[in-house]
Amino acid sequence: MLWTASQVLRKFSTSSHHYQNKLKLAIIGQSLFGQEVYSNLRKQGHKVVGVFTVPDKDGKADPLAVAAEKEGTPVFKFPRWRVKGKPIPEVVDAYKAVGAELNVMPFCSQFIPMNVIDHPKHGSIIYHPSILPLHRGASAINWTLIHGDKKAGFTVFWADDGLDTGPILLQRECDVEPNDTVDTLYNRFLFPGGIKAMVESVQLIADGKAPRTPQPEEGASYEGIQKKSNAKVNLAQPAEAIHNWIRGHDKVPGAWTVIDGQSVTLYGSSMLGGSVPEGQPLDIEGASQAARVTKNGLVLYGTDGKALLVKNLQFEDGKMIPASKYFSSGESASVELTDDEKTMAEEIRNIWKGILSNVPAIEDTTDFFKSGAASMDVVRLVEEVKQKCAGVQLQNEDVYMATTFQDFIQMFVRKLRGEDQEEELVVDYATKDVNNMTVKMPYQCFINGKFEDSENGKTYDSISPTDGSVICKVSYASVGDVDRAVAAAKEAYENGPWGKMNPRDRGSLLYRLADLMEEHQEELATIESIDSGAVYTLALKTHVGMSIQTFRYFAGWCDKIQGKTIPINQARPNRNLTFTKKEPLGVCAIVIPWNYPLMMLAWKSAACLAAGNTLVLKPAQVTPLTALKFAELSVKAGIPKGVINILPGSGGVVGQRLSEHPDIRKLGFTGSTPIGKQIMKSCAVSNLKKVSLELGGKSPLLIFSDCDMDKAVRMGMSSVFFNKGENCIAAGRLFVEESIHDEFIDRVVEEIKKMKIGDPLDRSTDHGPQNHKAHLDKLLEYCEIGVKEGATLVYGGTRVDRPGFFMEPTVFTDVEDHMFLAKEESFGPVMVVSKFKDGDVDGVLQRANDTEYGLASGVFTRDINKAMYVSERLEAGTVFVNTYNKTDVASPFGGFKQSGFGKDLGEDALMEYLKTKAVTVEY
């Protein structure tokens, strides 16, 4: 069983509460799982009077024995408990002598006699990794996956004389993800959840509250032990059945087939949903049709014509390779080691010696696994080498692909030199012929410089708001994907070239990225249009155009970030120099909204990167495609791997984990105020990470009778209907002076009637679809509430009768201050108009400021004194005078009150991603 101990252990911790009732326990079992159950039961105050485990293997003690011996707990290592079916008396007597009140059997491979099982006062409890009575037997996890079960789980039951048939004490279950393997299912749930459940079960027994629920026979099943000999995959069946068989044996014992006359074990299976990449055919024994070796791996076909992808292959000699390299000719040439590298190699040889303590000497030909190493030793080797040689990118899979010491050193040196980083970026595209071009859209998670499926294999549909059709399936990132992305960003910041790069060189890369965005601006604008509903001309000019400008602006800041010298009192007779430095924060998280997908990415990430940070970005779930295209362009620009990571998925999973993650030092968020509050709370509780929030708004626009009416009508409409009203700073409420109110409304309605509503890719379209169905429904409900409360619906308020999520531009008048429309943001094409009395400047200011929001505001008047008076008193982060929506990359953008804090754009935004260090020198 391969698990990443550092990951799974981090996910689990038992409560620190110490219960009153305690028991004397005998732990009968083995493995890291047994060790964790033992340790956590002791933490809870229970007394472990004896540990009964397996003998040392190849001179190495089991992890349970190691932990118990270290703490002075009596340890017994019996090779067996019975001979020819009869208990061994001296073994049973040794067990009885410890005086246990309960036997706890977390994982036990030995047959334990019934006079041991029944001896303690409370009997014995056992952990089993299935939802009993389903999948009784020693290979329960394998069969859960082989059968394609949608649910997995575990049972803690009371031992009896049957095979996994005793009464149930406790059960827990989880969903099985599409690409779960034995390892991922164990690591994610069965291991951490099982430890917690065993501790909970013991306490229930101690408190006299443990149930004994008989197992039903209905639904019971027993399957035999899966071994290498019976793990050959039958390729003459549907693709999903082949996939389930492979993942049900990954990593142990390993499903295999015959290729070119030799047994080859298959690892890393996933179902293929889209088109199959081009590749070289490969005949495999028993397959319904020839397989295909592609740039992504080995494609196998089922009898139903569907396909699955296998990532890695392992040959009979133990050597593992990426399946994509099956036809690669010959071995790569050996590298000659420098003196420093030879020294490192000897240090690594000592690490091998420490792990393979049973091997007299580590030779170049020593094979890690043939020398007795197990999967937990892989984790230890990787972590010890990384600790010894900071900066090397080493994964568990690397050990499986370089099993001899000589191969391991060659692989290690290549990684250390960065020679493994020159691989061409592999991108699976979703393509679409649209807007007189073929757009190529990445749809997978982007982690550590590579596009890859989400850890759990989940996807979701990205929907076109124009007609409600599916554009493509997009990876749905998991918590595990977040952790991997953050780890990649942290490694890139601490040990990669990004953190060591000269600021001017960093700026050059950002300039190059901006150039590439400009080269691809029509494609980016097209993707933005079909994914978000933005009118193409607006997407080209604003969504994409301002994004390019933003990266160029902040690229210029890279080599201009400065501290300052500060005169302080001298520590006489010595002298002092004090200066400040501006330093990057580290790993930053960015969570962006769906209204300007690419532009919001640029506003935050350009400043973040210019400051020298690395980032993990979550695009809005409904608009992920331009962010993923941006990720592709970042690689082409030469941004080092791990610096930028993009994770499509839900806010509840990805966003929440980002806000809680202890390795993230800053989170920038644009979205709703309630979610912003939750993020701020999570950031505070986790590690007090820095936060900047751009939240909701109800921006007031004051139109006085002395305004330029033509301009006020034109800009007033733009303040509401720009980008279909899906605009952070949209004028949420217009206050129009009474003497011009009716004329203003008549002219607005007249202009609305001229607006063309339709396909956003049509160059003559003025007004495209709302971003997604749920938002359209919310806007229609918003209008219904307005009518019910007594506001006058002058125009619109309904859905346009055509496919897609189109809404008519809407105008309400007679909106009173207490009404829902006056207080709540629509975030859509709804103009909310209220009158104010002629000349009542202070009165309308009071009404305009009577909101918990303070993002933007505006005023139209020809009187400069009035304009200045009003702008000074409006409580908003931005005030527009005789214009609206005029933002610029050099001007700071952000709100007051519950519209958030912190700034995007301008020098202020740069400061959001820097920290100030003061240095005092005495001389």
Side-chain angles (χ1 to χ4, degrees):
M1 181 71 63
L2 173 66
W3 58 73
T4 305
S6 61
Q7 292 177 346
V8 295
L9 295 183
R10 210 167 42 232
K11 296 177 183 175
F12 169 74
S13 63
T14 56
S15 168
S16 59
H17 179 68
H18 285 263
Y19 300 91
Q20 182 179 1
N21 302 311
K22 303 299 173 188
L23 294 176
K24 295 178 180 178
L25 307 175
I27 308 294
I28 305 175
Q30 62 202 77
S31 78
L32 185 62
F33 184 75
Q35 174 194 317
E36 285 299 309
V37 171
Y38 162 81
S39 298
N40 282 285
L41 285 169
R42 279 176 52 86
K43 288 179 184 176
Q44 293 297 322
H46 297 286
K47 182 175 178 59
V48 178
V49 294
V51 165
F52 299 84
T53 187
V54 294
D56 297 353
K57 182 180 179 182
D58 297 325
K60 295 174 64 177
D62 184 82
L64 173 58
V66 172
E69 288 169 343
K70 183 178 180 181
E71 295 176 345
T73 302
V75 176
F76 303 84
K77 301 178 181 180
F78 300 133
R80 61 191 62 84
W81 291 71
R82 59 185 188 175
V83 174
K84 296 181 180 180
K86 294 184 178 181
I88 301 173
E90 55 268 32
V91 171
V92 174
D93 290 344
Y95 158 76
K96 290 181 178 180
V98 301
E101 298 172 315
L102 173 70
N103 292 331
V104 179
M105 304 169 68
F107 173 74
C108 183
S109 62
Q110 297 175 311
F111 289 98
I112 309 301
M114 286 307 299
N115 60 341
V116 172
I117 295 290
D118 293 336
H119 177 73
K121 172 183 176 182
H122 297 290
S124 303
I125 60 170
I126 303 177
Y127 169 89
H128 185 77
S130 79
I131 308 172
L132 291 174
L134 190 63
H135 303 312
R136 293 168 175 162
S139 295
I141 312 177
N142 304 83
W143 288 105
T144 296
L145 296 171
I146 292 168
H147 284 297
D149 295 353
K150 301 303 180 186
K151 295 284 185 181
F154 56 77
T155 304
V156 180
F157 68 97
W158 300 92
D160 65 3
D161 58 359
L163 183 62
D164 302 331
T165 56
I168 294 169
L169 191 160
L170 180 151
Q171 286 185 324
R172 298 284 185 268
E173 67 177 35
C174 70
D175 292 331
V176 177
E177 307 292 358
N179 292 332
D180 261 336
T181 65
V182 174
D183 279 356
T184 62
L185 189 56
Y186 187 76
N187 292 343
R188 187 181 77 249
F189 182 75
L190 300 177
F191 182 91
I195 297 166
K196 186 176 181 180
M198 289 297 280
V199 175
E200 182 181 346
S201 297
V202 170
Q203 195 56 52
L204 286 171
I205 295 169
D207 294 339
K209 299 177 180 179
R212 290 177 179 261
T213 306
Q215 289 191 37
E217 281 307 307
E218 182 179 354
S221 67
Y222 173 82
E223 295 93 359
I225 296 175
Q226 285 307 101
K227 301 178 180 178
K228 197 72 174 182
S229 58
N230 61 9
K232 184 178 181 181
V233 61
N234 173 18
L235 296 173
Q237 56 182 330
E240 187 171 1
I242 299 172
H243 166 61
N244 286 337
W245 184 267
I246 294 172
R247 71 190 183 119
H249 294 81
D250 189 343
K251 290 277 191 300
V252 178
W256 58 277
T257 188
V258 177
I259 305 176
D260 289 337
Q262 71 166 313
S263 299
V264 178
T265 305
L266 313 173
Y267 294 111
S269 172
S270 60
M271 292 297 294
L272 273 179
S275 59
V276 177
E278 293 297 321
Q280 191 170 348
L282 176 66
D283 290 326
I284 299 181
E285 181 182 288
S288 59
Q289 67 182 87
R292 191 181 298 180
V293 177
T294 73
K295 63 184 180 181
N296 299 330
L298 177 66
V299 175
L300 300 174
Y301 295 91
T303 53
D304 54 358
K306 295 181 179 179
L308 60 140
L309 182 72
V310 173
K311 288 288 188 182
N312 297 315
L313 305 175
Q314 188 173 35
F315 298 101
E316 291 175 349
D317 62 0
K319 183 68 177 293
M320 184 183 286
I321 65 167
S324 60
K325 296 185 177 179
Y326 181 82
F327 286 117
S328 297
S329 57
E331 297 290 329
S332 57
S334 297
V335 296
E336 186 173 345
L337 274 58
T338 65
D339 290 342
D340 287 343
E341 289 166 347
K342 289 177 181 177
T343 301
M344 290 185 193
E346 289 309 308
E347 291 178 351
I348 294 173
R349 193 187 300 271
N350 290 332
I351 294 174
W352 276 54
K353 179 63 179 173
I355 297 172
L356 305 176
S357 56
N358 56 306
V359 178
I362 304 297
E363 308 289 347
D364 286 350
T365 56
T366 300
D367 188 285
F368 194 66
F369 296 103
K370 291 179 181 178
S371 299
S375 53
M376 70 180 71
D377 298 312
V378 173
V379 178
R380 177 180 168 185
L381 174 60
V382 169
E383 294 306 315
E384 285 197 38
V385 171
K386 286 166 68 175
Q387 186 178 34
K388 181 71 70 174
C389 309
V392 67
Q393 300 277 345
L394 197 62
Q395 306 294 330
N396 294 345
E397 291 297 321
D398 295 324
V399 183
Y400 289 98
M401 294 186 183
T403 59
T404 67
F405 181 75
Q406 183 176 8
D407 288 345
F408 185 87
I409 291 300
Q410 289 284 312
M411 173 273 297
F412 167 80
V413 170
R414 286 193 175 95
K415 285 183 173 291
L416 197 64
R417 295 178 181 180
E419 293 176 5
D420 66 323
Q421 298 177 10
E422 302 302 322
E423 293 184 13
E424 182 182 353
L425 178 67
V426 177
V427 188
D428 279 345
Y429 293 110
T431 60
K432 193 174 183 68
D433 292 323
V434 63
N435 203 24
N436 299 318
M437 69 180 77
T438 299
V439 294
K440 299 165 70 176
M441 300 170 286
Y443 57 85
Q444 298 166 293
C445 300
F446 183 72
I447 301 173
N448 203 25
K450 295 180 181 179
F451 286 104
E452 52 190 58
D453 293 334
S454 58
E455 183 182 67
N456 55 24
K458 280 188 175 181
T459 62
Y460 68 96
D461 293 336
S462 185
I463 303 296
S464 167
T466 301
D467 58 9
S469 64
V470 176
I471 302 170
C472 64
K473 289 190 176 295
V474 179
S475 290
Y476 189 88
S478 67
V479 168
D481 294 315
V482 176
D483 291 344
R484 289 190 300 117
V486 173
K490 184 179 181 184
E491 179 68 20
Y493 176 75
E494 293 180 351
N495 299 308
W498 188 252
K500 304 177 181 69
M501 192 176 294
N502 290 326
R504 196 164 298 165
D505 293 335
R506 189 165 66 239
S508 296
L509 290 180
L510 296 184
Y511 276 123
R512 173 62 181 148
L513 179 55
D515 290 344
L516 282 168
M517 292 170 71
E518 188 168 52
E519 289 176 24
H520 290 263
Q521 60 183 330
E522 288 85 4
E523 185 179 22
L524 286 167
T526 301
I527 297 172
E528 190 91 333
S529 186
I530 63 176
D531 201 28
S532 75
V535 172
Y536 176 74
T537 50
L538 178 67
L540 191 62
K541 179 181 183 296
T542 301
H543 289 235
V544 179
M546 192 173 188
S547 299
I548 296 167
Q549 292 175 25
T550 303
F551 270 97
R552 285 187 174 142
Y553 173 80
F554 283 108
W557 266 109
C558 289
D559 61 355
K560 300 173 186 66
I561 299 170
Q562 302 176 33
K564 55 187 176 182
T565 58
I566 303 171
I568 66 169
N569 289 341
Q570 305 297 324
R572 296 176 180 175
N574 298 314
R575 299 181 63 79
N576 298 101
L577 170 66
T578 294
F579 61 92
T580 61
K581 297 174 63 180
K582 296 291 187 180
E583 297 181 345
L585 300 171
V587 180
C588 298
I590 293 173
V591 180
I592 57 173
W594 43 258
N595 57 328
Y596 294 103
L598 186 62
M599 194 172 79
M600 292 296 100
L601 176 153
W603 280 22
K604 294 188 187 298
S605 63
C608 175
L609 295 170
N613 302 286
T614 58
L615 64 88
V616 180
L617 182 140
K618 191 199 89 65
Q621 184 172 344
V622 291
T623 54
L625 298 179
T626 44
L628 294 170
K629 188 68 180 181
F630 167 83
E632 178 192 354
L633 297 180
S634 75
V635 176
K636 293 181 178 180
I639 304 293
K641 67 179 184 180
V643 173
I644 295 172
N645 303 272
I646 310 286
L647 298 176
S650 73
V653 175
V654 178
Q656 185 63 33
R657 179 56 179 157
L658 288 173
S659 64
E660 294 172 344
H661 203 291
D663 290 333
I664 290 174
R665 294 300 169 191
K666 159 73 193 278
L667 190 147
F669 172 74
T670 295
S672 72
T673 297
I675 299 299
K677 290 179 179 180
Q678 179 60 43
I679 284 176
M680 191 173 177
K681 179 180 178 181
S682 297
C683 288
V685 170
S686 57
N687 62 339
L688 278 177
K689 55 178 65 70
K690 189 177 181 180
V691 181
S692 57
L693 304 172
E694 196 254 278
L695 307 175
K698 189 66 177 174
S699 301
L701 175 57
L702 283 55
I703 301 177
F704 289 93
S705 59
D706 60 356
C707 68
D708 178 336
M709 180 62 83
D710 291 340
K711 191 173 187 179
V713 169
R714 185 174 71 254
M715 291 289 183
M717 291 182 64
S718 175
S719 75
V720 176
F721 302 129
F722 189 81
N723 199 48
K724 312 159 290 169
E726 295 167 353
N727 188 19
C728 305
I729 57 173
R733 192 175 180 193
L734 277 67
F735 294 92
V736 182
E737 201 158 5
E738 193 168 29
S739 59
I740 62 167
H741 174 273
D742 294 348
E743 178 189 355
F744 178 84
I745 296 299
D746 290 344
R747 291 184 61 173
V748 165
V749 171
E750 182 182 344
E751 293 300 318
I752 289 176
K753 291 177 180 178
K754 298 176 185 177
M755 293 172 65
K756 180 179 178 180
I757 303 172
D759 183 355
L761 293 175
D762 185 334
R763 303 319 193 254
S764 63
T765 295
D766 299 301
H767 190 80
Q770 305 309 135
N771 188 276
H772 51 281
K773 175 71 164 50
H775 183 53
L776 174 62
D777 293 341
K778 181 182 175 183
L779 289 171
L780 296 174
E781 182 184 6
Y782 185 88
C783 293
E784 289 174 6
I785 294 172
V787 172
K788 288 178 182 177
E789 286 193 334
T792 301
L793 177 60
V794 176
Y795 192 89
T798 60
R799 182 174 183 172
V800 178
D801 186 17
R802 59 169 291 162
F805 312 138
F806 292 85
M807 180 178 177
E808 289 184 316
T810 299
V811 179
F812 278 99
T813 61
D814 302 318
V815 177
E816 298 179 15
D817 294 353
H818 67 275
M819 291 181 176
F820 181 81
L821 268 62
K823 295 182 177 295
E824 296 300 323
E825 180 182 26
S826 71
F827 212 65
V830 182
M831 182 178 283
V832 175
V833 185
S834 300
K835 296 178 185 176
F836 68 94
K837 291 181 180 180
D838 291 344
D840 188 11
V841 177
D842 290 328
V844 74
L845 274 170
Q846 183 176 352
R847 295 170 69 190
N849 288 328
D850 187 19
T851 172
E852 276 300 300
Y853 300 109
L855 188 56
S857 60
V859 54
F860 279 84
T861 176
R862 284 191 174 98
D863 184 340
I864 187 62
N865 292 321
K866 186 189 296 181
M868 296 303 295
Y869 181 86
V870 170
S871 65
E872 288 175 3
R873 286 161 178 78
L874 282 170
E875 298 169 359
T878 298
V879 181
F880 298 108
V881 179
N882 293 328
T883 187
Y884 210 89
N885 288 324
K886 176 54 183 171
T887 54
D888 188 89
V889 295
S891 177
F893 179 96
F896 300 160
K897 299 188 284 190
Q898 291 200 44
S899 288
F901 50 84
K903 297 294 182 182
D904 291 325
L905 303 179
E907 185 180 0
D908 292 54
L910 201 62
M911 297 303 112
E912 297 290 335
Y913 294 93
L914 293 166
K915 59 191 177 188
T916 302
K917 176 183 288 184
V919 179
T920 297
V921 181
E922 187 168 286
Y923 59 94

